[in-house]
Amino acid sequence: MRQAISLQFFLGAMACLSAFCVNAEDASRYFTWTATYGTIYPLGVPQQGILINGQFPGPPLNCITNENIIVTVINKLDEPFLITWNGIQLRRMSWQDGVLGTNCPIPPNSNWTYNFQAKDQIGTFTYFPSTALHRAAGGFGAFNIEQRSIIPIPYPKPDGEFTLLVGDWYKASHQVLRKKLNSGVRLPLPDGLLINGVKAGYVFTGEPGRTYKFRVSNVGIATSINFRIQGHVLKLIEVEGCHTVQDTYESLDVHVGQSVTVLVTLRLSTKDYFIVASSRFTKPILTTTAILRYAGSNTKASGPLPIGPTYQLHWSMKQARTIRTNLTANAARPNPQGSYHYGTIPISRTVVLANVETKIKGALRYALNGISYVDPATPLKLADWFNIPGVFTLNSTKDRPTSSPPVLGVSVLGTTLHDFAEIIFQNNETTVQSWHLDGYSFYTVGYGGGQWTPDMRRRYNLADAVTRHTVQVYPKGWSAILVSLDNKGMWNLRSAIWSRRYLGQQLYIKVWNNEYSLYTEADIPPNALLCGKAAKH
């Protein structure tokens, strides 16, 4: 009997040990990135840009799911700097998120090493600077995660793949744009659109008859885009880590911060074809082109730019009343998500967030539920870990919009680990909004016009909604998401419209329970930078 007990104890201990050794069992990829200023010509005129290892856009970060990612960032700029990993969930590791609520910025002429695991994710993501208005100067790049060999993908293996980083661009430097915002001036319409850092002429070459995967991400700071390829259909296969029903479309809308992946088969005659990105909801419409070249082609693309029916990754109002969305979440993780019946889970908390443009003390600001966020000198995560008082107060932002005049503040919503939350983004303005949540994928279950009310839940898709990390909210409308708060930490919920985030349209969600366990949250990294009130610890 004693031997049996000893054996059970040994096996239990080994099981616990294996849980903590998972990182050691998976391969590691090491990167050293140096951030510098450099002269770039994206719109044909010289301007200062932010380069990563001398490149604009930055080098792609390609890995396989569950691999460990170790990135040493050397800051050669004249300002503090951070990089965040857009859509990477960083399970148990909000310490690695690279935003000012979790990390002290990397000082000039210094470096810091990120260390995290691409845990249980497959798909198309990005990285970019989170500090100041650096994202408007570059420093962004692709973050692509492939499946492990033991994980099947729900589509035939493509013959190759291309990454397209599409976004708006200003000729003015990020310092000039920042000065405008600080002086109370809204940013104007961008000067143009880019594909992979150039205005026109970028060439993607494929073999006739072959099928290619196109990874398309909107890395802009303000502008929704429509994406299409002349004469070709786009078979949608993935949205931000979620595999979808494989319907085909002539064009796709991709809002700020979002990513989609499509398959394209080169079925036409051997020549060049336009790849087109154009702005949505802007006057005038901005357009940029690249080239899809069939190998062996000596004929340039010609004819009118293609345009056709647009798939916007949401219901129309009429469709919302009559049908379910035809996208399903599955197979992004080793455990297929298609079998996850999220629609049967009771909602433990509902939060309605209303964005507003305002003035506080005579200065232009953007706010959520009456608070315009200001980064404290001490990162929230450090203040929470070291129990430092006076940095933030839980639930200073209310769960419903307020009629009180907006004020400056530090917004932190307190939630309990494993809460199942409903978040409504209410947009009372006349421009499209885009919202991102770090650390999570959420179920986008509904869209509508006017004011959201509880009756709107009857329109929700509670069967097979897409999971994603960034959701658009149309003018004078609302969007609803459901999210299982199962990733302990301090997580940034922000406007992906960067001028709005810079001037206060963001908050943090603290996901917490009172049990200390390395199974749910890692300890502070030994190399963590300490600043503000945490510098004394």
Side-chain angles (χ1 to χ4, degrees):
M1 181 68 177
R2 182 175 300 170
Q3 289 178 337
I5 294 173
S6 298
L7 179 60
Q8 291 174 356
F9 176 80
F10 173 76
L11 292 175
M14 290 302 293
C16 291
L17 182 61
S18 67
F20 295 112
C21 291
V22 61
N23 285 10
E25 294 171 356
D26 293 294
S28 296
R29 294 183 186 251
Y30 294 85
F31 304 86
T32 299
W33 289 354
T34 301
T36 60
Y37 290 123
T39 302
I40 57 177
Y41 300 80
L43 293 178
V45 297
Q47 63 184 116
Q48 184 188 70
I50 293 178
L51 314 180
I52 303 295
N53 289 357
Q55 300 178 44
F56 170 78
L61 197 164
N62 298 316
C63 69
I64 297 173
T65 185
N66 284 3
E67 287 186 332
N68 301 295
I69 309 301
I70 299 95
V71 185
T72 298
V73 175
I74 302 170
N75 179 17
K76 291 296 184 179
L77 307 181
D78 56 1
E79 298 178 309
F81 184 73
L82 281 172
I83 287 176
T84 191
W85 318 100
N86 196 50
I88 307 303
Q89 293 181 14
L90 304 170
R91 305 295 298 181
R92 306 169 40 253
M93 292 296 295
S94 64
W95 299 107
Q96 306 293 328
D97 200 17
V99 291
L100 290 175
T102 58
N103 296 84
C104 298
I106 305 168
N109 296 312
S110 184
N111 68 83
W112 191 68
T113 299
Y114 296 84
N115 190 334
F116 58 90
Q117 189 179 24
K119 179 67 173 170
D120 294 345
Q121 289 186 271
I122 300 166
T124 300
F125 309 97
T126 56
Y127 67 83
F128 51 75
S130 67
T131 40
L133 218 61
H134 292 141
R135 185 176 174 184
F140 55 79
F143 194 139
N144 299 326
I145 307 178
E146 299 285 355
Q147 77 283 355
R148 301 173 76 175
S149 59
I150 60 173
I151 303 175
I153 53 175
Y155 51 85
K157 183 178 179 181
D159 297 296
E161 67 175 57
F162 304 114
T163 295
L164 288 81
L165 302 176
V166 186
D168 50 27
W169 194 257
Y170 290 87
K171 293 179 181 178
S173 70
H174 71 282
Q175 293 101 331
V176 170
L177 297 178
R178 188 167 60 194
K179 186 177 180 180
K180 283 181 179 291
L181 291 173
N182 290 341
S183 65
V185 178
R186 300 185 196 90
L187 294 187
L189 185 71
D191 295 302
L193 299 181
L194 307 179
I195 296 177
N196 290 359
V198 298
K199 182 179 180 180
Y202 200 100
V203 178
F204 302 88
T205 302
E207 297 286 338
R210 303 285 188 177
T211 298
Y212 294 88
K213 178 190 290 186
F214 282 73
R215 301 178 181 271
V216 183
S217 297
N218 187 332
V219 294
I221 66 169
T223 310
S224 299
I225 62 105
N226 179 262
F227 171 81
R228 53 205 186 270
I229 301 178
Q230 182 182 18
H232 293 73
V233 295
L234 312 175
K235 179 181 283 187
L236 185 67
I237 59 170
E238 178 240 327
V239 174
E240 296 164 19
C242 171
H243 291 126
T244 67
V245 171
Q246 294 166 29
D247 289 331
T248 57
Y249 304 91
E250 293 186 20
S251 68
L252 292 168
D253 278 359
V254 187
H255 300 275
V256 179
Q258 295 182 345
S259 298
V260 300
T261 303
V262 298
L263 294 181
V264 178
T265 300
L266 278 56
R267 303 179 186 273
L268 304 182
S269 58
T270 300
K271 65 175 188 177
D272 290 355
Y273 297 88
F274 285 119
I275 298 172
V276 184
S278 56
S279 61
R280 295 279 284 162
F281 314 106
T282 66
K283 292 182 180 180
I285 296 175
L286 306 173
T287 300
T288 186
T289 61
I291 297 296
L292 173 57
R293 172 164 296 163
Y294 282 41
S297 168
N298 57 10
T299 304
K300 293 183 179 181
S302 62
L305 298 182
I307 188 166
T310 299
Y311 176 52
Q312 299 183 8
L313 293 178
H314 74 97
W315 301 292
S316 71
M317 289 299 294
K318 182 177 180 181
Q319 290 170 324
R321 298 187 183 99
T322 58
I323 63 172
R324 299 290 188 185
T325 182
N326 63 356
L327 301 181
T328 181
N330 68 3
R333 295 185 180 185
N335 296 318
Q337 296 180 358
S339 61
Y340 186 60
H341 302 296
Y342 66 92
T344 65
I345 302 174
I347 294 171
S348 56
R349 185 170 182 179
T350 296
V351 179
V352 180
L353 298 172
N355 53 271
V356 64
E357 179 182 313
T358 187
K359 285 194 173 182
I360 301 177
K361 299 179 180 178
L364 175 67
R365 298 291 300 187
Y366 297 101
L368 278 175
N369 288 13
I371 296 183
S372 182
Y373 185 88
V374 178
D375 282 301
T378 306
L380 307 176
K381 185 62 184 171
L382 292 179
D384 192 49
W385 182 262
F386 292 120
N387 294 313
I388 300 172
V391 176
F392 70 91
T393 301
L394 276 181
N395 298 318
S396 53
T397 294
K398 304 307 178 185
D399 287 5
R400 295 291 191 279
T402 175
S403 59
S404 302
V407 296
L408 302 176
V410 180
S411 313
V412 181
L413 288 177
T415 64
T416 301
L417 184 65
H418 300 303
D419 275 355
F420 193 70
E422 175 188 39
I423 301 177
I424 314 300
F425 299 100
Q426 180 68 55
N427 179 15
N428 297 324
E429 299 182 66
T430 57
T431 57
V432 65
Q433 304 295 316
S434 188
W435 290 95
H436 171 85
L437 176 59
D438 281 351
Y440 288 93
S441 286
F442 47 72
Y443 294 92
T444 305
V445 296
Y447 301 83
Q451 295 293 309
W452 179 88
T453 67
D455 288 342
M456 302 299 183
R457 293 183 180 130
R458 293 179 297 178
R459 303 182 183 183
Y460 285 4
N461 172 13
L462 298 180
D464 57 0
V466 166
T467 55
R468 62 186 319 158
H469 55 68
T470 304
V471 61
Q472 72 274 17
V473 192
Y474 293 102
K476 300 293 184 178
W478 55 268
S479 297
I481 68 171
L482 299 177
V483 56
S484 178
L485 298 174
D486 60 355
N487 193 10
K488 193 172 179 179
M490 187 76 71
W491 301 106
N492 190 211
L493 175 62
R494 61 176 176 263
S495 173
I497 312 298
W498 217 244
S499 61
R500 301 182 78 97
R501 178 186 187 264
Y502 176 73
L503 290 181
Q505 210 156 274
Q506 61 172 312
L507 56 79
Y508 283 81
I509 298 178
K510 178 186 175 183
V511 182
W512 183 82
N513 68 356
N514 59 5
E515 176 187 10
Y516 172 76
S517 172
L518 294 178
Y519 284 107
T520 55
E521 185 175 34
D523 283 343
I524 185 172
N527 69 333
L529 298 176
L530 301 180
C531 56
K533 295 180 179 180
K536 301 177 182 179
H537 290 265

mmCIF file of all heavy atoms in Angstrom, residues 200-216:
data_model
loop_
_atom_site.group_PDB
_atom_site.id
_atom_site.type_symbol
_atom_site.label_atom_id
_atom_site.label_comp_id
_atom_site.label_asym_id
_atom_site.label_seq_id
_atom_site.Cartn_x
_atom_site.Cartn_y
_atom_site.Cartn_z
ATOM 1 N N ALA A 200 3.224 51.830 -54.494
ATOM 2 C CA ALA A 200 2.790 51.070 -55.662
ATOM 3 C C ALA A 200 3.966 50.253 -56.181
ATOM 4 O O ALA A 200 5.134 50.582 -55.944
ATOM 5 C CB ALA A 200 2.276 52.001 -56.761
ATOM 6 N N GLY A 201 3.612 49.156 -56.872
ATOM 7 C CA GLY A 201 4.639 48.428 -57.607
ATOM 8 C C GLY A 201 5.219 47.216 -56.917
ATOM 9 O O GLY A 201 6.032 46.502 -57.507
ATOM 10 N N TYR A 202 4.844 46.955 -55.647
ATOM 11 C CA TYR A 202 5.362 45.761 -54.981
ATOM 12 C C TYR A 202 4.859 44.538 -55.743
ATOM 13 O O TYR A 202 3.675 44.435 -56.060
ATOM 14 C CB TYR A 202 4.898 45.713 -53.531
ATOM 15 C CG TYR A 202 5.727 44.818 -52.639
ATOM 16 C CD1 TYR A 202 6.696 45.354 -51.808
ATOM 17 C CD2 TYR A 202 5.549 43.438 -52.639
ATOM 18 C CE1 TYR A 202 7.455 44.545 -50.980
ATOM 19 C CE2 TYR A 202 6.310 42.616 -51.820
ATOM 20 C CZ TYR A 202 7.263 43.173 -50.997
ATOM 21 O OH TYR A 202 8.023 42.365 -50.189
ATOM 22 N N VAL A 203 5.744 43.579 -56.029
ATOM 23 C CA VAL A 203 5.403 42.449 -56.897
ATOM 24 C C VAL A 203 5.413 41.143 -56.114
ATOM 25 O O VAL A 203 6.367 40.845 -55.386
ATOM 26 C CB VAL A 203 6.380 42.357 -58.086
ATOM 27 C CG1 VAL A 203 6.049 41.135 -58.950
ATOM 28 C CG2 VAL A 203 6.325 43.625 -58.930
ATOM 29 N N PHE A 204 4.330 40.375 -56.277
ATOM 30 C CA PHE A 204 4.234 39.017 -55.737
ATOM 31 C C PHE A 204 4.144 38.064 -56.926
ATOM 32 O O PHE A 204 3.232 38.190 -57.758
ATOM 33 C CB PHE A 204 2.992 38.871 -54.857
ATOM 34 C CG PHE A 204 2.943 39.833 -53.707
ATOM 35 C CD1 PHE A 204 2.374 41.087 -53.860
ATOM 36 C CD2 PHE A 204 3.483 39.495 -52.475
ATOM 37 C CE1 PHE A 204 2.324 41.979 -52.805
ATOM 38 C CE2 PHE A 204 3.445 40.386 -51.408
ATOM 39 C CZ PHE A 204 2.871 41.631 -51.575
ATOM 40 N N THR A 205 5.082 37.135 -57.040
ATOM 41 C CA THR A 205 5.153 36.258 -58.200
ATOM 42 C C THR A 205 4.796 34.831 -57.827
ATOM 43 O O THR A 205 5.314 34.277 -56.843
ATOM 44 C CB THR A 205 6.560 36.282 -58.816
ATOM 45 O OG1 THR A 205 6.893 37.628 -59.170
ATOM 46 C CG2 THR A 205 6.628 35.406 -60.052
ATOM 47 N N GLY A 206 3.886 34.220 -58.620
ATOM 48 C CA GLY A 206 3.479 32.843 -58.397
ATOM 49 C C GLY A 206 3.405 32.072 -59.695
ATOM 50 O O GLY A 206 3.398 32.651 -60.789
ATOM 51 N N GLU A 207 3.352 30.748 -59.581
ATOM 52 C CA GLU A 207 3.281 29.879 -60.744
ATOM 53 C C GLU A 207 1.830 29.697 -61.190
ATOM 54 O O GLU A 207 0.950 29.480 -60.363
ATOM 55 C CB GLU A 207 3.884 28.511 -60.413
ATOM 56 C CG GLU A 207 5.365 28.535 -60.068
ATOM 57 C CD GLU A 207 6.227 28.746 -61.308
ATOM 58 O OE1 GLU A 207 5.735 28.456 -62.428
ATOM 59 O OE2 GLU A 207 7.376 29.198 -61.150
ATOM 60 N N PRO A 208 1.560 29.781 -62.480
ATOM 61 C CA PRO A 208 0.197 29.540 -62.967
ATOM 62 C C PRO A 208 -0.328 28.183 -62.504
ATOM 63 O O PRO A 208 0.408 27.186 -62.490
ATOM 64 C CB PRO A 208 0.356 29.588 -64.492
ATOM 65 C CG PRO A 208 1.582 30.405 -64.733
ATOM 66 C CD PRO A 208 2.495 30.104 -63.584
ATOM 67 N N GLY A 209 -1.606 28.177 -62.113
ATOM 68 C CA GLY A 209 -2.233 26.941 -61.668
ATOM 69 C C GLY A 209 -2.024 26.618 -60.210
ATOM 70 O O GLY A 209 -2.674 25.712 -59.678
ATOM 71 N N ARG A 210 -1.137 27.318 -59.545
ATOM 72 C CA ARG A 210 -0.847 27.056 -58.130
ATOM 73 C C ARG A 210 -1.760 27.888 -57.230
ATOM 74 O O ARG A 210 -2.322 28.905 -57.645
ATOM 75 C CB ARG A 210 0.610 27.400 -57.814
ATOM 76 C CG ARG A 210 1.628 26.669 -58.666
ATOM 77 C CD ARG A 210 1.784 25.226 -58.257
ATOM 78 N NE ARG A 210 2.891 24.578 -58.934
ATOM 79 C CZ ARG A 210 3.278 23.326 -58.698
ATOM 80 N NH1 ARG A 210 2.621 22.596 -57.804
ATOM 81 N NH2 ARG A 210 4.292 22.799 -59.359
ATOM 82 N N THR A 211 -1.874 27.450 -55.975
ATOM 83 C CA THR A 211 -2.688 28.149 -54.976
ATOM 84 C C THR A 211 -1.788 28.722 -53.894
ATOM 85 O O THR A 211 -0.919 28.010 -53.357
ATOM 86 C CB THR A 211 -3.728 27.197 -54.356
ATOM 87 O OG1 THR A 211 -4.617 26.742 -55.383
ATOM 88 C CG2 THR A 211 -4.536 27.902 -53.273
ATOM 89 N N TYR A 212 -2.018 29.981 -53.551
ATOM 90 C CA TYR A 212 -1.166 30.683 -52.596
ATOM 91 C C TYR A 212 -1.990 31.251 -51.442
ATOM 92 O O TYR A 212 -3.141 31.658 -51.615
ATOM 93 C CB TYR A 212 -0.400 31.815 -53.294
ATOM 94 C CG TYR A 212 0.590 31.286 -54.305
ATOM 95 C CD1 TYR A 212 0.198 31.051 -55.621
ATOM 96 C CD2 TYR A 212 1.891 30.980 -53.936
ATOM 97 C CE1 TYR A 212 1.094 30.536 -56.549
ATOM 98 C CE2 TYR A 212 2.799 30.473 -54.855
ATOM 99 C CZ TYR A 212 2.392 30.242 -56.163
ATOM 100 O OH TYR A 212 3.286 29.723 -57.070
ATOM 101 N N LYS A 213 -1.365 31.247 -50.292
ATOM 102 C CA LYS A 213 -1.959 31.850 -49.100
ATOM 103 C C LYS A 213 -1.526 33.315 -49.037
ATOM 104 O O LYS A 213 -0.328 33.620 -49.094
ATOM 105 C CB LYS A 213 -1.499 31.117 -47.841
ATOM 106 C CG LYS A 213 -2.016 31.702 -46.540
ATOM 107 C CD LYS A 213 -1.328 31.079 -45.318
ATOM 108 C CE LYS A 213 -1.747 29.649 -45.104
ATOM 109 N NZ LYS A 213 -1.182 29.098 -43.839
ATOM 110 N N PHE A 214 -2.509 34.207 -48.920
ATOM 111 C CA PHE A 214 -2.238 35.636 -48.761
ATOM 112 C C PHE A 214 -2.632 36.044 -47.345
ATOM 113 O O PHE A 214 -3.798 35.939 -46.969
ATOM 114 C CB PHE A 214 -3.040 36.461 -49.778
ATOM 115 C CG PHE A 214 -2.477 36.468 -51.161
ATOM 116 C CD1 PHE A 214 -2.576 35.342 -51.970
ATOM 117 C CD2 PHE A 214 -1.843 37.594 -51.674
ATOM 118 C CE1 PHE A 214 -2.065 35.340 -53.259
ATOM 119 C CE2 PHE A 214 -1.326 37.604 -52.961
ATOM 120 C CZ PHE A 214 -1.433 36.473 -53.758
ATOM 121 N N ARG A 215 -1.667 36.500 -46.571
ATOM 122 C CA ARG A 215 -1.909 37.014 -45.222
ATOM 123 C C ARG A 215 -2.005 38.536 -45.315
ATOM 124 O O ARG A 215 -1.036 39.196 -45.700
ATOM 125 C CB ARG A 215 -0.780 36.624 -44.278
ATOM 126 C CG ARG A 215 -0.544 35.111 -44.137
ATOM 127 C CD ARG A 215 0.636 34.877 -43.208
ATOM 128 N NE ARG A 215 0.980 33.480 -43.022
ATOM 129 C CZ ARG A 215 0.471 32.685 -42.082
ATOM 130 N NH1 ARG A 215 -0.428 33.176 -41.241
ATOM 131 N NH2 ARG A 215 0.867 31.429 -41.964
ATOM 132 N N VAL A 216 -3.161 39.090 -44.973
ATOM 133 C CA VAL A 216 -3.412 40.526 -45.154
ATOM 134 C C VAL A 216 -3.716 41.156 -43.797
ATOM 135 O O VAL A 216 -4.666 40.741 -43.116
ATOM 136 C CB VAL A 216 -4.590 40.761 -46.119
ATOM 137 C CG1 VAL A 216 -4.782 42.254 -46.357
ATOM 138 C CG2 VAL A 216 -4.372 40.023 -47.430
#
